[in-house]
Amino acid sequence: MLQAGSTIGIIGGGQLGRMLAMAAARLSFKTIILEPQADCPAAQVANRQIVANYDDRAALQELAEACDVITYEFENVPVEAAQFLATKAIVYPPPLALEISQDRVAEKQFLNESDIATAPWRVVDDVEDLVAALGALNERGILKTRRFGYDGKGQVRLNSLDNEAAAQAIAAINNAPAILEGFVEFTREVSVIAARDKAGNVRLYDIAENVHKDGILDTSTIPAEISTDTAVACARATYKLLHALDYVGVLGFEFFVLPDGSVVANEFAPRVHNSGHWTEAACAVSQFEQHIRAVAGLPLGDPKRHSDCVMENLIGDDVLQVPAILAESDAVLHLYGKAEARSGRKMGHVTRIKSGK
């Protein structure tokens, strides 16, 4: 268990790293950010920033020597960097979780091998693979790059078995190795924010119902309108995943809810998650504090919520709504310290508390 005044390293300097650093400070931990962009959102609230690329061995060595434990705020940290750090320091979540989550094929294989259902899928390396995959998956699906796609990037929706459209789709993702995920009819998208500590203790937050726009999370509503059986199915799958990974930290796990109430897993993120930002406003222990507790070896907190709520992302020019939001009586606003509002860029979020829970 880390003592007050210990130092936690965070790879990545975005808004998630920012909120982790803030949570760490509340527990009297220091933080060092490794991030190539100077004055990044996380560095504005951390004790120190190492300005270097994520795979810079000298910088990684410096981080390892300065920190008591190291974590990361996004899943595209080079696996080799995490593996190198793990030989020099304590790293949570384990690099295996990072490695699996970075490759959609490896992720689907791991989920299925862990007895967790997913939508049907096929590996796609070229146009011929895509045509065959469409034929096997009812001629419809979403082509996704195996690596590095997020917030709707690196994806093409296909609705027919057409050779020309298949060739255009492959070109649109720059001929990158890909996966075709078959469509499933679903009624809603939900996510579980879960934490696991080194002893295997698990805490789950209440399930959020998510709405996306243009591939980016727009709102998370808590509680989700799902049955008890559906909630139990999500929880069971999450327990399976956490234990299969021997996970330490907070994880976000997304599901599609089918018309009969059953669920199939979409994807997991080995980090704190956008759909868990509401916990800042509606829980005594946020997902960010929970993650710090887990990686620091502290007891996990009670994840229960004290209020129903809706979290809304502020994307691009949405940040112009800030004066109006500040006038609302039950709105909890968090801005990320980004100087420039661009289309598709997450500038902050607001959680609106619903009274009368």
Side-chain angles (χ1 to χ4, degrees):
M1 182 175 71
L2 296 190
Q3 302 300 312
S6 297
T7 301
I8 298 174
I10 302 173
I11 304 178
Q15 61 265 18
L16 299 180
R18 178 190 183 92
M19 289 180 271
L20 285 171
M22 293 171 69
R26 290 182 63 243
L27 295 176
S28 198
F29 295 126
K30 298 175 183 178
T31 49
I32 300 176
I33 307 299
L34 174 63
E35 161 66 43
Q37 175 191 333
D39 193 33
C40 57
Q44 295 167 16
V45 299
N47 295 84
R48 177 184 165 203
Q49 179 183 0
I50 299 173
V51 181
N53 290 329
Y54 305 126
D55 59 356
D56 184 316
R57 285 295 176 96
L60 293 169
Q61 181 68 40
E62 182 181 355
L63 184 70
E65 292 174 355
C67 297
D68 298 286
V69 67
I70 297 170
T71 188
Y72 40 86
E73 62 121 29
F74 73 120
E75 61 267 43
N76 286 331
V77 174
V79 172
E80 295 78 11
Q83 292 171 336
F84 172 78
L85 281 172
T87 67
K88 308 290 182 180
I90 300 169
V91 178
Y92 293 129
L96 175 64
L98 196 68
E99 183 175 7
I100 292 169
S101 70
Q102 287 183 359
D103 184 326
R104 287 191 170 93
V105 169
E107 181 181 41
K108 291 292 191 294
Q109 288 175 333
F110 190 85
L111 291 171
N112 293 162
E113 290 168 0
S114 301
D115 193 30
I116 299 171
T118 63
W121 56 275
R122 295 290 187 278
V123 177
V124 173
D125 289 323
D126 52 34
V127 175
E128 291 73 21
D129 284 346
L130 179 54
V131 170
L134 284 166
L137 300 180
N138 298 319
E139 302 186 1
R140 301 170 66 224
I142 301 177
L143 181 70
K144 300 180 179 181
T145 55
R146 287 179 64 162
R147 302 174 65 84
F148 300 120
Y150 65 97
D151 286 349
K153 299 177 178 66
Q155 302 184 12
V156 181
R157 186 176 293 263
L158 293 158
N159 292 296
S160 64
L161 181 54
D162 180 277
N163 285 27
E164 183 177 349
Q168 291 174 348
I170 292 293
I173 62 170
N174 297 315
N175 299 292
I179 183 173
L180 183 72
E181 298 179 1
F183 284 127
V184 293
E185 299 298 330
F186 63 91
T187 59
R188 50 184 43 84
E189 298 177 61
V190 301
S191 59
V192 177
I193 304 300
R196 183 179 185 271
D197 66 15
K198 290 180 282 188
N201 299 305
V202 173
R203 299 289 185 272
L204 306 183
Y205 288 90
D206 290 323
I207 296 174
E209 184 169 332
N210 303 318
V211 174
H212 292 78
K213 288 185 178 179
D214 300 322
I216 302 175
L217 181 65
D218 182 37
T219 62
S220 293
T221 300
I222 298 87
E225 290 190 14
I226 56 175
S227 69
T228 300
D229 287 346
T230 297
V232 168
C234 291
R236 285 176 175 166
T238 303
Y239 273 88
K240 287 179 182 178
L241 178 62
L242 290 169
H243 293 314
L245 291 169
D246 196 18
Y247 198 81
V248 176
V250 163
L251 171 149
F253 199 5
E254 298 178 339
F255 297 88
F256 297 123
V257 181
L258 308 187
D260 65 358
S262 63
V263 298
V264 294
N266 178 24
E267 62 184 14
F268 74 89
R271 53 170 172 79
V272 289
H273 195 260
N274 195 171
S275 68
H277 288 358
W278 65 272
T279 61
E280 257 190 328
C283 299
V285 178
S286 73
Q287 66 164 343
F288 306 103
E289 180 177 329
Q290 197 78 287
H291 185 81
I292 296 299
R293 287 185 182 215
V295 303
L298 298 175
L300 296 180
D302 188 338
K304 70 181 179 183
R305 75 181 193 281
H306 54 69
S307 303
D308 295 347
C309 61
V310 178
M311 188 283 301
E312 178 186 0
N313 272 326
L314 301 178
I315 309 295
D317 287 342
D318 289 348
V319 75
L320 299 176
Q321 302 171 20
V322 163
I325 292 170
L326 290 174
E328 297 180 33
S329 60
D330 293 320
V332 181
L333 177 68
H334 193 134
L335 299 176
Y336 301 152
K338 298 179 181 179
E340 181 184 359
R342 298 195 298 265
S343 177
R345 192 182 198 193
K346 296 173 182 172
M347 302 299 295
H349 67 268
V350 56
T351 303
R352 293 179 171 90
I353 298 295
K354 296 182 179 179
S355 58
K357 176 183 177 293

